[in-house]
């Protein structure tokens, strides 16, 4: 693993993606929301149960992954946590920016400082955060590799549709075993970053 960056949703209470912020709505519904800086422009916002609120169980990293990250840190491999979606008015699927490109994280500048050219993307949800990060990575000029069996979403159909779209964007979609066979430990074709 090289230069790991972990992106975390870090939602304030009342976040626009929470069904609880929209009276009468439930997780799975969608609402139309005005853009923060252009009220006449509208986007569709998917609604979810409250999640990833700082200092709650939902904002914690899964125990097995956290253990592996602590091991990396113990071997003096820095792990940087990119916190996103902190503005209650707008969601943020990408690890690079919010959905309206109103606020940007430090990820792109950090990658540039370290000369990273390839992103290896895993995580949740394939049709939301994985999709947004992968597409923004392509837009910003990175080679993007998606480890298909290290992502998940709410349905097989949603995952298949997201992967098909990502392949059209130029994202390389591979299985973990194939990635490991092609990239044995110690082999680096260029500096990579894993999300």
């Amino acid at each position: 693993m090289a230069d790991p960056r972990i992106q975390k949703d870090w939602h304030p209470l009342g976040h626009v993606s929470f069904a609880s912020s929209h009276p009468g709505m439930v997780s799975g519904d969608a609402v139309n929301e005005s853009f923060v800086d252009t009220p006449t422009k509208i986007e569709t916002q998917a609604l979810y149960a409250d999640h990833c609120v700082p200092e709650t169980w939902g904002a914690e990293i899964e125990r097995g992954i956290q253990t592996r990250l602590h091991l990396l840190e113990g071997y003096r491999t820095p792990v940087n946590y990119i916190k996103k979606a902190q503005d209650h008015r707008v969601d943020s699927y990408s690890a690079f920016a919010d959905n309206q490109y109103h606020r940007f994280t430090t990820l792109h500048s950090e990658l540039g400082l370290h000369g990273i050219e390839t992103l290896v993307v895993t995580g949740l949800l394939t049709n939301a955060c994985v999709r947004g990060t992968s597409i923004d990575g392509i837009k910003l000029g990175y080679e993007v590799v998606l480890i298909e069996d290290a992502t998940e979403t709410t349905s097989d159909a949603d995952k298949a549709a997201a992967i098909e779209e990502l392949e059209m964007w130029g994202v390389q979609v591979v299985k973990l075993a194939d990635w490991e066979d092609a990239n044995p430990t110690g082999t680096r074709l260029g500096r990579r970053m894993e999300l």
Side-chain angles (χ1 to χ4, degrees), residues 2-187:
D3 299 341
R5 302 291 189 284
I6 307 300
Q7 76 80 28
K8 296 175 70 170
D9 279 358
W10 206 246
H11 297 312
L13 292 172
H15 191 262
V16 69
S17 70
F18 297 169
S20 65
S21 297
H22 305 273
M25 304 303 267
V26 297
S27 182
D29 286 346
V31 295
N32 289 324
E33 290 286 328
S34 297
F35 271 52
V36 171
D37 57 358
T38 312
T40 57
K41 192 170 180 182
I42 304 294
E43 72 172 343
T44 300
Q45 173 64 57
L47 299 180
Y48 306 93
D50 292 14
H51 62 283
C52 300
V53 176
E55 308 304 323
T56 68
W57 174 85
E60 294 176 9
I61 293 176
E62 187 271 333
R63 186 173 308 206
I65 293 171
Q66 189 64 62
T67 298
R68 291 188 290 282
L69 292 172
H70 285 314
L71 287 173
L72 284 173
E73 291 167 332
Y75 290 116
R76 298 178 192 245
T77 300
V79 176
N80 191 356
Y81 297 87
I82 305 290
K83 294 177 180 173
K84 65 180 187 66
Q86 298 180 67
D87 184 338
H88 75 280
R89 303 169 299 166
V90 61
D91 209 354
S92 180
Y93 291 157
S94 172
F96 291 100
D98 68 36
N99 292 359
Q100 298 175 13
Y101 299 101
H102 181 69
R103 285 190 178 176
F104 294 82
T105 69
T106 59
L107 183 58
H108 183 52
S109 61
E110 290 179 33
L111 299 177
L113 286 172
H114 295 286
I116 294 170
E117 302 167 351
T118 303
L119 307 181
V120 180
V121 181
T122 65
L124 303 171
L125 293 168
T126 313
N127 60 330
C129 298
V130 169
R131 176 188 171 276
T133 298
S134 297
I135 290 172
D136 280 353
I138 292 289
K139 287 178 180 178
L140 291 167
Y142 296 98
E143 174 186 18
V144 179
V145 179
L146 173 68
I147 308 297
E148 179 180 5
D149 49 348
T151 70
E152 199 51 73
T153 195
T154 54
S155 77
D156 291 341
D158 286 347
K159 184 173 182 175
I163 288 172
E164 182 178 343
E165 179 187 10
L166 292 173
E167 287 176 323
M168 290 190 309
W169 274 94
V171 173
Q172 300 170 47
V173 178
V174 300
K175 300 283 187 193
L176 179 58
D178 295 333
W179 170 255
E180 290 175 333
D181 288 346
N183 296 279
T185 303
T187 302

